[in-house]
Amino acid sequence: MRWIFLLLSLASIPCFSQNADPANAASSDFAQLRRYQEANTHVTGPVQVVFLGDSITDYWGSHNGTWFPYSGWINRGIGGQTTQQMLLRERQDALNLQPKAIVLEGAGNDMRLGFSPEAIRDNLLSMGELAQSHGIQVYVAEMTPVCDCVRPLTGLRTVERIRQLNHLLAAMCREKHWDLLRFNHPLADQNGLMRADLTVDGVHPNDAGYALLAPVVEKALARYRRNR
């Protein structure tokens, strides 16, 4: 009877051919490296700045607002990403392009999913240190405010937790001699929530919102501006 049981057990083990895709093939690209893989091969000329971020960066100039008209300012944002995913793709989508500067923008999805401000800070710290080790100037954006003005979206992204994170990012930048991009204040109301007139959904800026963020970036990165 023991050999019959052994045969039945072996029969229950799924068999995969060498050419068969694993069951999780659709989600195996956790960092979404495929998104910009081909585009990166077509980047020509000197790269001045790479913007590595989530949807706040990704949608800038594609959904709302106008992207910067400067040569070598490359957008490498991916909507929905956490800072863990950004860290995993930093080499391909930023470092390998050999930029002079990098803008790190991300945190909203991490906080939405329950990651602590300290954990988010640590991922941005790792990205900044990796860039700095390659001789790249580091800029870190504050987390932008959130509101429930269109539909409930705040959740764990409370004013208090966002402020805590931004305080941690400010301290990190002071210690590392990096530049902090003040993205929160231009979009926030007197209570620290996203202004309803500056957002399309309570999280993402509209045209007017991006128009307020653009001067913050341009002032900080003035040395890298080259008109097309």
Side-chain angles (χ1 to χ4, degrees):
M1 293 295 295
R2 293 181 60 186
W3 66 270
I4 295 177
F5 176 78
L6 178 60
L7 288 175
L8 290 173
S9 299
L10 291 173
S12 67
I13 299 175
C15 296
F16 300 100
S17 69
Q18 288 185 330
N19 296 324
D21 290 332
N24 66 341
S27 59
S28 61
D29 186 13
F30 171 73
Q32 295 177 273
L33 293 170
R34 296 189 188 96
R35 167 73 182 272
Y36 291 112
Q37 202 164 47
E38 182 177 356
N40 289 337
T41 65
H42 297 297
V43 173
T44 59
V47 175
Q48 298 295 314
V49 187
V50 170
F51 293 71
L52 188 69
D54 55 25
S55 57
I56 303 296
T57 296
D58 189 9
Y59 296 171
W60 201 330
S62 61
H63 287 55
N64 296 99
T66 302
W67 188 248
F68 304 95
Y70 308 118
S71 178
W73 285 36
I74 307 297
N75 187 323
R76 288 296 180 264
I78 296 183
Q81 284 214 324
T82 64
T83 54
Q84 291 177 332
Q85 292 170 298
M86 289 166 53
L87 176 58
L88 288 173
R89 67 184 179 89
E90 181 183 13
R91 183 172 300 278
Q92 174 190 281
D93 290 345
L95 304 184
N96 289 350
L97 300 180
Q98 299 181 334
K100 294 181 180 179
I102 186 170
V103 173
L104 301 173
E105 176 281 311
N109 294 305
D110 303 65
M111 194 172 288
R112 172 176 59 85
L113 294 171
F115 291 97
S116 69
E118 291 81 7
I120 300 168
R121 184 271 318 276
D122 287 348
N123 286 335
L124 290 165
L125 176 61
S126 295
M127 282 185 273
E129 289 179 336
L130 186 57
Q132 189 173 48
S133 72
H134 284 72
I136 300 169
Q137 183 64 39
V138 178
Y139 297 81
V140 180
E142 289 180 331
M143 181 175 167
T144 51
V146 180
C147 72
D148 296 328
C149 46
V150 177
R151 63 180 187 275
L153 286 174
T154 300
L156 295 173
R157 295 177 289 195
T158 64
V159 171
E160 292 74 20
R161 295 187 82 222
I162 293 174
R163 283 176 177 165
Q164 182 184 355
L165 172 61
N166 287 337
H167 285 316
L168 290 173
L169 297 183
M172 175 187 73
C173 288
R174 285 194 299 269
E175 180 182 348
K176 292 294 183 178
H177 304 289
W178 298 340
D179 289 284
L180 182 69
L181 300 180
R182 302 284 184 175
F183 274 15
N184 189 276
H185 179 72
L187 303 179
D189 64 16
Q190 60 183 0
N191 297 315
L193 298 167
M194 173 75 88
R195 283 173 48 184
D197 61 320
L198 297 177
T199 182
V200 295
D201 56 9
V203 173
H204 302 98
N206 55 21
D207 290 343
Y210 280 118
L212 293 177
L213 297 182
V216 177
V217 174
E218 291 182 320
K219 181 178 179 180
L221 278 71
R223 60 192 286 197
Y224 306 106
R225 290 189 295 184
R226 291 184 180 180
N227 291 322
R228 295 186 182 276

